[in-house]
């Protein structure tokens, strides 16, 4: 059976035990709560995992998950370009919890902010900085605020986020090489 391009919450809940679930959020977001049994392969590392994901499709249907569905759709596009069939969870973990389902939170996992919250903090900080510097130093600094505003509009229109991509590269948001190797080994065992 071929997995459709998107699974609703109720379909996922009914099939969770048979799906190979890959969470493409950052390690910090994943540690903050993820679907039970899911494996963390951040979106920016998906290329490295292509061979293992392809082999996993021989053993079952693959479901790609993120916070809202945008990153998982991008991951599914990358997989499709490499002839790997996968579905995305409609609405992501946000929809999963809104429907009353729990996320698995490892004991002792560090508290972390989701990528959307990190983007809001960074964008807001740069906008305020641009306005303050524009008032106190030189009006040209207001270009910072205008640049962030333009970036947010572009982000909304294209359903992409360059700032999130940059923030994902920060050490707190990146997996250790050993963690990714362990995740890929676990994927091979499924």
């Amino acid at each position: 059976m071929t997995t459709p391009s998107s699974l609703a919450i109720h379909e996922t809940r009914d099939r969770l035990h048979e799906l190979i679930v890959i969470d493409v959020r950052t390690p910090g977001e994943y540690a903050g709560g993820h679907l039970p049994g899911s494996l963390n392969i951040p979106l920016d590392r998906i290329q490295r995992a292509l061979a293992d994901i392809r082999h996993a499709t021989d053993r079952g249907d693959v479901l790609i998950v993120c916070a809202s569905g945008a990153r998982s759709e991008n991951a599914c596009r990358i997989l499709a370009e490499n002839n790997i069939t996968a579905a995305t969870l409609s609405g992501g973990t946000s929809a999963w919890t809104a429907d009353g389902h729990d996320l698995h939170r490892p004991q002792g996992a560090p508290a972390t902010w989701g990528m959307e919250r990190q983007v809001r903090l960074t964008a807001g900080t740069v906008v305020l900085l641009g306005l303050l510097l524009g008032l106190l130093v030189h009006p040209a600094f207001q270009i910072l605020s205008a640049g962030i505003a333009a970036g947010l509009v572009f982000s909304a229109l294209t359903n992409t986020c360059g700032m999130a991509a940059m923030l994902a590269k920060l050490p707190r948001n990146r997996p250790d090489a050993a963690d990714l190797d362990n995740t890929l080994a676990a994927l091979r065992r499924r």
Side-chain angles (χ1 to χ4, degrees), residues 1 22 27 29 48-49 54 56 89 94 100 105 112 142 170-171 175 177:
M1 176 177 134
I22 298 173
E29 290 175 295
R48 180 171 172 215
R54 181 176 288 111
L89 174 62
S94 298
R105 289 181 174 85
T112 187
Q142 292 177 351
L170 293 175

Side-chain angles (χ1 to χ4, degrees), residues 19 29 39 44 58 78 93 95-96 103 108 118 122 126 130 147 154 168:
L19 293 169
E29 290 175 295
L39 298 170
D44 66 345
D58 294 338
I78 292 168
T93 56
W96 180 262
L103 295 175
Q118 292 179 47
T122 305
V126 173
F154 179 79

Side-chain angles (χ1 to χ4, degrees), residues 58-107:
D58 294 338
R59 298 183 301 277
D61 291 333
V62 173
L63 178 69
I64 307 295
V65 178
C66 69
S68 66
R71 284 179 276 181
S72 59
E73 287 175 9
N74 288 338
C76 283
R77 265 195 300 281
I78 292 168
L79 296 175
E81 290 168 0
N82 288 278
N83 299 314
I84 301 170
T85 303
T88 183
L89 174 62
S90 295
T93 56
S94 298
W96 180 262
T97 56
D99 200 46
H101 304 292
D102 289 331
L103 295 175
H104 175 72
R105 289 181 174 85
Q107 192 165 2

Side-chain angles (χ1 to χ4, degrees), residues 35-51:
L35 268 66
S38 65
L39 298 170
N40 184 223
I41 303 174
L43 178 59
D44 66 345
R45 300 292 180 98
I46 205 85
Q47 293 283 350
R48 180 171 172 215
L50 288 174

